[in-house]
Amino acid sequence: MAPAPIFPVKVGHIDDVQELRKAKPTTIPERFVRDLTERPTIATALSSATDIPIINFSKLIEGNPDEFHSEILNLTTACEQWGFFQVINHKIDLSLLESIEKVAKDFFMLPLEEKQKYPMAPGTVQGYGQAFVFSENQKLDWCNMFALGVEPHCIRNPKLWPAEPAEFSQTLENYSSKVRKLCENLLKYIAMSLGLKCDVFEKMFGVAVQAVRMNYYPPCSRPDLVLGLSPHSDGSALTVLQQGKGSSVGLQILKNNTWVPVQPIANALVVNIGDTMEVLTNGRYKSVEHRAVTHREKDRLSIATFYAPDYETELGPMPELLDENNPCKYRRYNHGEYSKHYVTNKLQGKKTLDFAKIEIDYST
């Protein structure tokens, strides 16, 4: 949740999709209708979704040596070939998952005037509204968002933490603490999968930045015309996504130029590699483009936690992962600069990562 841009941002009129759905259930304003090339194909085959790797976290933290070794290999494959995986047995209490889901849903069900007490200012990414909108004619996502900076406390905007539901803040604190621990542990095992010391990322990241974004996708009468969330990769090191229980299947990842739906597994958390990890591993572990689609009759809730280095951290490919066959593909940069670059540009595939890329001349 980097600082806001210093330039004024004009976004034009943005319909609140929940209110639009209530008042005009069959109307899709033009700003939500995607160009032909961007429209989702709703009839994507679901069978391929079963290929998305599943990581059994309990085998990493308490398995016998054979189970541990096998799961590290699974994690390596998941990071190298998919950039996405579902984590089961993650040790976060299921009642806490239910609680965060409940307060998120209860917030989105509040009257509009109550939610608008916590507005997302144009060009920023905290509060209630639509993020990543920077022009008056930009296509909009069929989604309402509520985003907050969580850690360190200096990135929080206390005015945006809602008074209702009453248990929202404490539930988010508890949830974020557990997800933070999961991210710290996963990064240890990811380091080991790369042949690095297990604490390398912990030492490098400093006081890691953590933010949460809750997404609510109302039903849409024409899911073939809109997107719930535009295609993008995440700027984080890791993203942890909780998909709402009983929600429609909405998350899709780009695999071999095909949009593959991610079928939710009960009580699992979806984890994906972000741009920061792609840079650190010099492209060995790549961030993956993903998007959300809508459903004609069902709504969908998701809760994304973004985990990234401190804004003062200098980042670049790790020397241990470079050699003459794998030359440096990304420049060194300040993570705060990249975060600001990321949040002040619209979601557009992996375009924001161009910020860090080095043009390699293979002719010499």
Side-chain angles (χ1 to χ4, degrees):
M1 297 283 175
I6 55 174
F7 53 87
V9 177
K10 293 183 179 181
V11 298
H13 175 71
I14 297 179
D15 282 300
D16 184 285
V17 287
Q18 283 175 262
E19 299 302 307
L20 189 63
R21 173 74 184 182
K22 285 181 201 169
K24 300 176 180 178
T26 60
T27 300
I28 311 294
E30 190 61 32
R31 276 195 83 182
F32 291 92
V33 177
R34 295 285 171 155
D35 297 336
L36 279 170
T37 55
E38 295 181 305
R39 293 178 189 176
T41 303
I42 303 302
T44 305
L46 298 180
S47 58
S48 56
T50 57
D51 296 332
I52 293 171
I54 297 171
I55 300 300
N56 189 336
F57 189 67
S58 64
K59 290 184 178 179
L60 290 172
I61 60 172
E62 59 194 17
N64 63 43
D66 287 344
E67 289 176 326
F68 176 83
H69 180 69
S70 174
E71 213 58 28
I72 286 288
L73 290 177
N74 288 341
L75 182 62
T76 306
T77 300
C79 293
E80 280 189 335
Q81 298 183 13
W82 285 87
F84 262 81
F85 49 92
Q86 300 208 53
V87 179
I88 60 173
N89 300 325
H90 43 66
K91 306 302 180 185
I92 299 177
D93 198 87
L94 300 184
S95 65
L96 185 53
L97 300 188
E98 291 172 1
S99 296
I100 192 69
E101 220 170 277
K102 182 180 187 305
V103 296
K105 190 73 173 280
D106 287 350
F107 175 83
F108 284 114
M109 294 305 121
L110 290 171
L112 180 62
E113 57 269 22
E114 184 66 27
K115 292 181 285 190
Q116 286 179 334
K117 292 177 181 177
Y118 313 101
M120 185 182 292
T124 68
V125 288
Q126 292 202 55
Y128 175 77
Q130 280 222 14
F132 305 103
V133 182
F134 296 97
S135 73
E136 298 180 74
N137 57 5
Q138 185 179 328
K139 293 297 183 182
L140 300 174
D141 293 330
W142 192 266
C143 176
N144 284 336
M145 298 176 176
F146 186 46
L148 296 168
V150 179
E151 295 291 345
H153 280 222
C154 62
I155 72 167
R156 295 189 183 196
N157 184 341
K159 293 179 181 178
L160 296 177
W161 286 59
E164 296 291 334
E167 62 276 20
F168 183 99
S169 293
Q170 190 56 55
T171 303
L172 180 57
E173 293 276 17
N174 295 344
Y175 178 78
S176 295
S177 172
K178 299 298 184 185
V179 174
R180 190 175 185 84
K181 188 67 179 172
L182 176 64
C183 289
E184 289 168 353
N185 280 320
L186 281 172
L187 283 171
K188 289 178 184 176
Y189 299 122
I190 287 172
M192 294 171 74
S193 76
L194 291 161
L196 304 171
K197 291 181 179 178
C198 67
D199 62 353
V200 64
F201 295 122
E202 182 183 357
K203 288 181 175 178
M204 182 192 305
F205 282 21
V207 181
V209 171
Q210 185 176 349
V212 66
R213 191 181 71 224
M214 300 170 178
N215 310 298
Y216 181 71
Y217 308 92
C220 181
S221 60
R222 291 297 305 273
D224 56 317
L225 297 181
V226 307
L227 285 174
L229 191 58
S230 301
H232 66 285
S233 61
D234 293 335
S236 55
L238 292 180
T239 301
V240 177
L241 182 77
Q242 179 176 338
Q243 303 203 73
K245 206 170 187 178
S247 291
S248 61
V249 178
L251 175 62
Q252 297 182 339
I253 67 174
L254 191 62
K255 174 74 169 168
N256 299 328
N257 293 316
T258 300
W259 288 106
V260 177
V262 178
Q263 291 280 25
I265 296 173
N267 304 320
L269 295 169
V270 179
V271 176
N272 65 275
I273 300 295
D275 294 346
T276 295
M277 192 59 66
E278 175 167 337
V279 170
L280 290 173
T281 64
N282 201 43
R284 181 171 167 184
Y285 291 175
K286 290 183 172 62
S287 60
V288 175
E289 205 171 321
H290 52 287
R291 69 181 186 182
V293 297
T294 61
H295 193 278
R296 190 180 300 275
E297 289 143 13
K298 287 185 176 181
D299 63 357
R300 178 171 178 259
L301 175 74
S302 68
I303 302 162
T305 296
F306 305 98
Y307 188 89
D310 178 272
Y311 288 140
E312 299 305 314
T313 303
E314 291 289 323
L315 296 177
M318 302 174 75
E320 303 95 318
L321 302 178
L322 302 177
D323 57 40
E324 58 184 27
N325 296 317
N326 193 20
C328 190
K329 298 171 184 170
Y330 307 91
R331 67 181 179 87
R332 289 193 67 78
Y333 57 87
N334 172 274
H335 179 61
E337 287 178 17
Y338 181 66
S339 293
K340 187 167 184 176
H341 172 75
Y342 187 92
V343 303
T344 54
N345 282 276
K346 69 177 185 177
L347 298 180
Q348 197 172 355
K350 293 187 64 170
K351 191 168 174 36
T352 46
L353 194 53
D354 290 347
F355 172 93
K357 285 182 178 174
I358 293 173
E359 291 296 325
I360 299 174
D361 183 2
Y362 290 100
S363 62
T364 56

